[in-house]
Structure formats: C-alpha cells, structure tokens
Amino acid sequence: PMIKYRGPLIESAPDAPLFPCTMMQKDVKLALELGEALGVPMPLVAITNQTLTGCSALGLAHLDMAVMYRAVA
C-alpha cells in the first residue's frame, strides 16, 4: 500500500512536503537509538540515516522524503 500511495510522489514531488526528510531522519535516529539500547543491529536503518544525511548535504532536507532517491542517484 505504501508504494502504491508514495510511488507517484517520486515522479512528481508534492509542492508542500507530506513528510519532510528532516522529520523522517528524526524518527530514524530514534529507531537507531532504541536499537543500540537493546543491542539490536539495524543496518538498513543506519543506511537510511546516511541517505537522509546526504539529502541534507544536497539541500533537500526540507522536501518530502520521496526525494531520497536523489541522494543515491
């Protein structure tokens, strides 16, 4: 369901972000902290965090998370 809903946003990002990269990264960091506290490795979450850091470096952090592909493309 998420891909069906969010997929079209990759082709045409919304003018107003539905979920900005900054908010996504906040949540991802919370997940990483919890994983660390519980001793649970979370490699995919760590990669997501790095991708979001790349979005910030590219000046995309204020945009919808659908633009994350730009940081790795």
Side-chain angles (χ1 to χ4, degrees):
M2 181 178 172
I3 298 299
K4 184 176 180 181
Y5 172 72
R6 303 276 307 166
L9 298 176
I10 293 172
E11 288 183 19
S12 177
D15 293 330
L18 301 174
F19 195 55
C21 291
T22 52
M23 297 301 290
M24 175 76 166
Q25 190 162 32
K26 176 190 68 74
D27 291 351
V28 165
K29 286 180 178 180
L30 289 172
L32 283 171
E33 289 173 11
L34 182 59
E36 185 175 339
L38 296 174
V40 177
M42 302 183 80
L44 294 178
V45 178
I47 291 169
T48 301
N49 186 51
Q50 289 298 312
T51 303
L52 289 161
T53 298
C55 287
S56 292
L58 294 170
L60 305 172
H62 66 288
L63 298 175
D64 190 85
M65 68 176 208
V67 301
M68 288 177 60
Y69 75 94
R70 294 185 194 174
V72 295

